[in-house]
Amino acid sequence: MSQQPKTPDAPTPEPLRFYGTTWVDHSGGYALRRAALGIGAVLAAAAGAFVLRFAYQGVVLADIGSWASVLLVVAFAVCSALAFSRTLTHYGRRPSEREASAESSMHSIRIVGFIGVLLAYALRTCVEAPGEKLHRAEYEAALDRHERQRTARTGNPAARGRGAKGGKGRKKSRKG
């Protein structure tokens, strides 16, 4: 079972695709799921390469020139490399606002370079669930903020505002 918050108003972990919230405490077949998804991503990349081979053969059979076949191979190689590197780096950090706008233009490159995306996913599953490091850091920061807020609210409310000498509380200024 995944970790539940200690208090009802505590932050809840954000679920990851295919993992839910099992990434929090690595329960519910987390390791088996990671292994299966990594192998599945490699197999999907191999199947994609097989399909691309047919596309390449179709261009060669069309006999439109050697430049077209070279251009096709270079386009898929470059798009796969870009998609691989972008995908792998975004598993570890959230893109800035400027990078987020550039990511929308990268969508077509990721589609063409889908083999790079699949290989990045497979490589990341060897270490952890893709995106787990980022989600864990955000979740732990949210838990820390919640705990600080919760402990700041505990205790005698009448004692809040008293100085170190135990005198009367601060006077509230009236604006008006």
Side-chain angles (χ1 to χ4, degrees), residues 41-78:
V42 169
L43 291 175
F50 190 68
V51 168
L52 288 179
R53 179 174 171 242
F54 286 127
Y56 175 76
Q57 287 176 344
V59 169
V60 169
L61 285 175
D63 198 27
I64 57 175
S66 62
W67 64 271
S69 58
V70 169
L71 186 62
L72 182 69
V73 170
V74 169
F76 276 107
V78 168

Side-chain angles (χ1 to χ4, degrees), residues 2-160:
S2 62
Q3 180 179 340
Q4 296 296 320
K6 295 175 184 169
T7 60
D9 60 336
T12 56
E14 186 178 336
L16 289 174
R17 182 182 294 165
F18 304 122
Y19 294 94
T21 58
T22 60
W23 61 268
V24 175
D25 56 359
H26 296 184
S27 63
Y30 170 83
L32 181 64
R33 195 174 307 166
R34 239 180 63 202
L37 287 169
I39 291 169
V42 169
L43 291 175
F50 190 68
V51 168
L52 288 179
R53 179 174 171 242
F54 286 127
Y56 175 76
Q57 287 176 344
V59 169
V60 169
L61 285 175
D63 198 27
I64 57 175
S66 62
W67 64 271
S69 58
V70 169
L71 186 62
L72 182 69
V73 170
V74 169
F76 276 107
V78 168
C79 288
S80 290
L82 284 171
F84 177 84
S85 66
R86 290 282 182 127
T87 302
L88 206 54
T89 56
H90 285 300
Y91 283 137
R93 63 179 176 83
R94 292 251 189 241
S96 67
E97 196 170 306
R98 183 175 148 238
E99 290 173 333
S101 64
E103 281 304 306
S104 64
S105 65
M106 287 291 294
H107 186 70
S108 58
I109 290 177
R110 285 191 178 176
I111 290 173
V112 173
F114 67 96
I115 292 177
V117 173
L118 290 168
L119 291 176
Y121 189 89
L123 185 65
R124 192 61 181 192
T125 57
C126 293
V127 179
E128 65 184 4
E132 180 181 343
K133 180 181 180 181
L134 173 65
H135 283 78
R136 185 172 304 283
E138 290 173 350
Y139 178 58
E140 288 175 356
L143 283 177
D144 287 344
R145 276 193 310 274
H146 173 74
E147 189 61 31
R148 282 194 309 270
Q149 288 174 351
R150 207 177 119 240
T151 55
R153 290 190 304 250
T154 61
N156 184 358
R160 274 188 215 144

